[in-house]
Amino acid sequence: MDRKWRNWRFSRKTHLLVLFALLLLQNCLVISETFAETETSVHIIYMGDKIYDDPKTTKRFHHKMLSSLVGSKEAAKNSIIYSYKHGFSGFAAKLTKSQAEEIAKYPGVVQVIPNRIHKLHTTRSWDFLGISHPSKSVLTKSNLGEGVIIGVIDSGIWPESKSFNDEAMGPIPSHWKGVCQEGEQFNSTSCTRDGTGHGTHTASTAAGYFVENANYKGLATGLARGGAPLAHLAIYKACWDLTEGDCSDADILKAFDMAIHDGVDVISVSLGISIPLFSFVDQRDSIAIGSLHAISKWITVVCSAGNDGPVSQTITNTAPWLITVAASTIDRTFPTAITFGNNKTVWGQSVDTVHNLGSIGLTYSERIAMDPTDDLAKDCQPGSLNATLVAGKIVLCFSKSDQQQDIVSAAITVHEAGGVGLIYAQLHDNGLTPCGSFPCIKVDYEVGTQILSYIRRARFPTVYLSIPKTVIGKWISPRVASFSSRGPSTVSPYVLKPDIAAPGVDILAAFPPERTRQKNGFIFLSGTSMSCPHVAAITALIKSKHRTWSPAAIRSALVTTASQTGTDGEYISEEGSTRKAADPFDIGGGHVNPNKAMNPGLIYNISTEDYIQFFCSIGYSSASISSVTKTTTNCKKGTYVPWNLNLPSIIVPNLKKTTKVTRTVTNVGHVDSIYKAQVKAPYGIKVIVEPEVLHFNSTTHTLSFDVIFQPNQEQHGDYKIGSLIWTDGKHIVRSPVAVRTMKFDL
């Protein structure tokens, strides 16, 4: 999901396998209950795992069921939108309220779900991650992702982009079964459509081909490429340009269903729901349910974490089988000099290259308010400025802490009043937004105050705005982006989220040119939408080398090899109100390290049965679990504990007494290896690891160990952070640890 998507709305040949299963939504608007009973709206009839192996038989079964409800085959044909028949069973249909209630009673129907809408959540980032070309890096070791298919569930694609040139692409992988899916008022030529540009950006970030001299209006010029440039792309259009790129449950589930059928290896999903979250087996969370069926078929699913940070407990896509990605900065910035009439210079940042205005008059917005008695002019709200006093000047505005206004809206206000430029002082916030042909520069409050002081002292204040520069390697990075959603998870505190962090700020990638207002078709976007395809690409590289690894194994490799330090050698910090050192609720295991993830040493594996036991441990009923997994489940009370799910992280949210956590690791490194434990105990907690040494050989590939936590304090506390490392002298296998002492029930 990309951050503040509304701010960007104004704003090879295709891969041999840029094949599309584009999904047609005919009428998926949720109809208010106040409408007449005869009004229909889309409902999803979810029936769990498949009953029949033959998709045609499954589809006939769906039509027969619907016909019995609506009275005829013709009525059923007009009602049904999708038949889910590959990865799971069910269908989406237009039903009245009473019909939805009636079909919910039919045998085999798990749940009838009203259709909801989800929101959509590079030239430098891959070099920053250590994936260079040509080099002896992870790219070479993994053949640039060749033979792997990445499925992207998003808004479509613009295949004419140079990023999707099919030069040097290998043959279509033999396990591919997909086609361009046509539909009513949607023929094969529509498979080139990307209404918002979001899908083009994410797909090219994941697997775009090499494009020389890529740039945005001369900024960030360089060689653009995706992380897995020879991987094949399968694009699933589930998001439509209805209201800022909406994505419905019906479309999302169909995308997962088709991706499973088509044979993709990795699925990238840069979208999600908002708080409050649904339980992991609640069919209303279409991403959790669709991805659960996908991982059961050995397909790794990577999702964005959300853009509601830096507030805690805002993380989305928290299912334990997902790889959930936070956003971080890279070491590239676009500083812009702001020179006063007295020759003093301060610095802001901008991606607008129309600053060559010469020396221009400078004023402060409150000085030119339409109504000096109100406070609207401070952050340049619409209609708040006196056009006579603004004309021909650059205006300084201060954002209010409630963030009702943003830099683009302020720029529109100044422009409409006759101003020629904007300097916008605001709380620190990652990501730069272009203002089109109108120059706008972002500064922090400290610099904003310096500019205001100059305005107050000068008799005729003037300013000269320089054209922004592209600067690499001068800013400490990575840092956790201010907008990146934070944990802990609100739906299950036993699952540490996010899993990993990756670049997601000012990422340059392909975009339809008519939406960028420039010919070369590249643009900057920021958000966890951008960090998600970075990890999806790295996942494809890992999959290319380790074809038999499970989704859990790949997630483990990413988490346990991640970095905790920045370019200055200090702990990665988070860009928020405190700029504290980042903890696992900000970045999970840390910042992704592709080269180390290819050879993690040990992995934490998880089977479908393990997830079922986890469901039992957190109180889900046997019936609700069976309805999703189509297995006979009998949860026995007290048999399982939630903290024993074999994740590559450990979180104990309610430590009241001595608690034992069990984990199992599998050796994927040298056959004869000895690993020793190193513990950094959370403050106030005693930690014991048994055994402290693990011996692997040709007959012993998998070993278990216990981690025992003992509280040393008598007060109720907040989470304390630590880590557990297993090392053989070559590999460092690190698990983040978070423990909260509880002395009374909340």
Side-chain angles (χ1 to χ4, degrees), residues 369-603:
M370 182 68 74
D371 183 356
T373 63
D374 65 35
D375 198 32
L376 299 178
K378 184 175 183 179
D379 57 353
C380 293
Q381 294 190 32
S384 64
L385 304 181
N386 186 315
T388 302
L389 299 177
V390 174
K393 294 183 179 179
I394 292 172
V395 180
L396 170 67
C397 306
F398 274 76
S399 169
K400 298 177 183 177
S401 59
D402 57 15
Q403 296 184 340
Q404 293 179 349
Q405 180 79 312
D406 58 41
I407 191 170
V408 173
S409 298
I412 292 172
T413 298
V414 173
H415 182 260
E416 289 180 346
V420 296
L422 169 70
I423 300 174
Y424 197 69
Q426 63 177 72
L427 288 170
H428 182 82
D429 186 27
N430 293 114
L432 296 171
T433 306
C435 295
S437 59
F438 188 81
C440 59
I441 300 176
K442 182 175 74 173
V443 299
D444 60 23
Y445 282 147
E446 179 181 354
V447 172
T449 301
Q450 293 177 30
I451 298 171
L452 180 57
S453 296
Y454 164 70
I455 292 172
R456 287 170 172 166
R457 290 195 307 266
R459 186 175 180 182
F460 299 107
T462 60
V463 68
Y464 177 82
L465 306 180
S466 296
I467 295 175
K469 302 177 180 179
T470 302
V471 176
I472 293 174
K474 301 298 183 181
W475 264 257
I476 296 171
S477 51
R479 296 189 178 190
V480 184
S482 55
F483 56 79
S484 186
S485 290
R486 311 301 209 263
S489 166
T490 56
V491 70
S492 178
Y494 301 101
V495 179
L496 180 61
K497 290 290 179 175
D499 294 288
I500 200 80
V505 176
D506 296 330
I507 303 302
L508 185 73
F511 211 73
E514 66 272 14
R515 304 192 65 84
T516 64
R517 298 186 178 182
Q518 64 161 356
K519 294 181 179 180
N520 72 350
F522 285 84
I523 198 173
F524 294 111
L525 291 181
S526 297
T528 55
S529 274
M530 285 64 250
S531 56
C532 173
H534 278 85
V535 174
I538 296 166
T539 296
L541 298 179
I542 297 173
K543 190 74 173 179
S544 181
K545 182 179 179 181
H546 304 287
R547 298 295 306 186
T548 62
W549 280 16
S550 70
I554 292 173
R555 189 255 307 279
S556 174
L558 292 166
V559 172
T560 61
T561 61
S563 174
Q564 287 76 52
T565 56
T567 53
D568 60 346
E570 299 291 330
Y571 284 114
I572 296 170
S573 63
E574 57 96 24
E575 297 278 35
S577 57
T578 61
R579 293 201 180 184
K580 64 177 178 63
D583 63 37
F585 298 119
D586 302 317
I587 56 172
H591 197 259
V592 66
N593 189 318
N595 287 288
K596 288 186 177 180
M598 295 292 286
N599 182 21
L602 303 176
I603 57 172

Side-chain angles (χ1 to χ4, degrees), residues 603-633:
I603 57 172
Y604 294 81
N605 228 330
I606 303 177
S607 67
T608 301
E609 178 60 31
D610 293 329
Y611 289 122
I612 292 174
Q613 293 180 10
F614 173 73
F615 292 155
C616 291
S617 72
I618 57 178
Y620 294 167
S621 69
S622 299
S624 65
I625 299 170
S626 298
S627 68
V628 173
T629 62
K630 289 299 178 184
T631 57
T632 301
T633 303

Side-chain angles (χ1 to χ4, degrees), residues 279 321 335-336 363:
S279 75
W321 48 86
T336 303
T363 188

